[in-house]
Amino acid sequence: MGLRPMLNGLMSFLNDKTEKDFDKVLYLNNLFTYEAEFHFIVNGELQSESVITGLSKPYNSKLYADPMYPIKVHFPAKSNVDVYMKVRNPMSTTNTPLFLMSYAKAAELKDIRMSISFFWAGILTLSLTLSLFLYISIRQKIFLNYLFLAAGTFMFCSANLGVMLLILDSDPNQFSLDCYQIGAALILIFMPRFLNGIVPIAKINLLAWRVVEVIGYMGLTIAVLYVFPFFKFNFFFTTLVANSLTGFTAMIFFYLLVVLSIAAYRRSPRAVSLFLVYLVYLGIAFGAVLLPLFGSDNNG
């Protein structure tokens, strides 16, 4: 049996040559899917109704409480099964990875996701508490910048890992996407400000720093517009917001990489160590964003 990589709206073929029938799970590994429609055709005949899933799908219509979308598929003995999938996913412009696995593997994947979710929730809560305490105690702007950066990271990660969908039975108002977009915008604005508090990177090129500030405000503007239902429930505007924030973030992260490398080359205080830490952060961040788009996500 094999499962070909599946692009949005295309078809995958699954061939079963075993003597006995069995069940498997199709695992749609992307939280922000507006709607995914599946049709299962066994030996040329439609064997099941289309299965619809998405942000508004309640848990009682899934296999179990999981922020992703496990879907049960039955394979009769010696059969050829075609799976037709149509996906509306504004957050991924390349593909939506789909995996075929056993119940045991799907349950293991669920447990891993839960562990990751609660681990990062604890770390980010500690970061928020610590930065708030330091700002109140010391009254230095760098801790305020870190407070907003940590808040943005908390919102972005909790939405991306599906933490809120563990609390809410469903998300018909797409509150998860609100947190995702606003969290991304806060990171866009306060990441440069926080790093500038450690190493004065704004002094390397003041004009470029002003451009960074403008890009941050542009990202925040479109993220705030997205909160309003007129824009939120427009599929094309959601795609525009996601692609714009991704582009803005890539531009600013690249700028920070360049100026930190210049500061490290000039042996500015703390610049070398910050540059090395930033390289690690950048690798993890872009790996987490890019690898799932190519079906290479491994619960990272």
Side-chain angles (χ1 to χ4, degrees), residues 3-178:
L3 177 63
R4 296 180 183 177
M6 183 182 298
L7 298 177
N8 291 356
L10 297 185
M11 176 176 61
S12 178
F13 302 90
L14 301 98
N15 300 310
D16 169 27
K17 300 302 182 183
T18 61
E19 297 295 330
K20 297 181 179 180
D21 61 345
F22 60 95
D23 294 323
K24 286 286 187 179
V25 174
L26 282 174
Y27 207 90
L28 182 60
N29 191 30
N30 197 301
L31 174 65
F32 299 122
T33 300
Y34 269 26
E35 183 180 270
E37 181 176 347
F38 297 87
H39 297 268
F40 306 114
I41 300 177
V42 181
N43 294 327
E45 296 183 1
L46 182 65
Q47 296 294 317
S48 70
E49 299 291 337
S50 60
V51 179
I52 304 294
T53 186
L55 283 174
S56 300
K57 190 176 182 66
Y59 284 143
N60 56 16
S61 60
K62 297 182 182 181
L63 291 182
Y64 39 65
D66 192 293
M68 303 303 155
Y69 305 108
I71 300 167
K72 178 181 176 181
V73 187
H74 180 72
F75 294 91
K78 297 181 179 180
S79 62
N80 294 320
V81 180
D82 298 335
V83 180
Y84 290 83
M85 180 179 77
K86 181 180 179 181
V87 173
R88 296 178 71 242
N89 178 14
M91 310 301 289
S92 174
T93 55
T94 53
N95 68 348
T96 299
L98 180 70
F99 300 91
L100 180 68
M101 61 185 67
S102 65
Y103 280 98
K105 185 63 179 179
E108 178 186 347
L109 186 60
K110 171 198 169 185
D111 292 339
I112 292 173
R113 286 194 178 279
M114 299 304 105
S115 299
I116 293 174
S117 298
F118 287 110
F119 171 78
W120 281 112
I123 293 295
L124 292 171
T125 301
L126 179 63
S127 299
L128 281 168
T129 305
L130 180 61
S131 56
L132 179 60
F133 172 77
L134 288 173
Y135 177 69
I136 293 174
S137 302
I138 304 175
R139 293 292 179 178
Q140 290 190 14
K141 189 176 180 180
I142 186 173
F143 295 115
L144 183 62
N145 287 332
Y146 184 72
L147 175 65
F148 284 106
L149 174 60
T153 306
F154 190 98
M155 295 171 70
F156 182 87
C157 289
S158 62
N160 200 42
L161 290 172
V163 174
M164 282 176 291
L165 291 182
L166 298 177
I167 302 172
L168 305 172
D169 185 53
S170 62
D171 190 14
N173 296 315
Q174 298 177 11
F175 180 64
S176 300
L177 285 176
D178 292 340

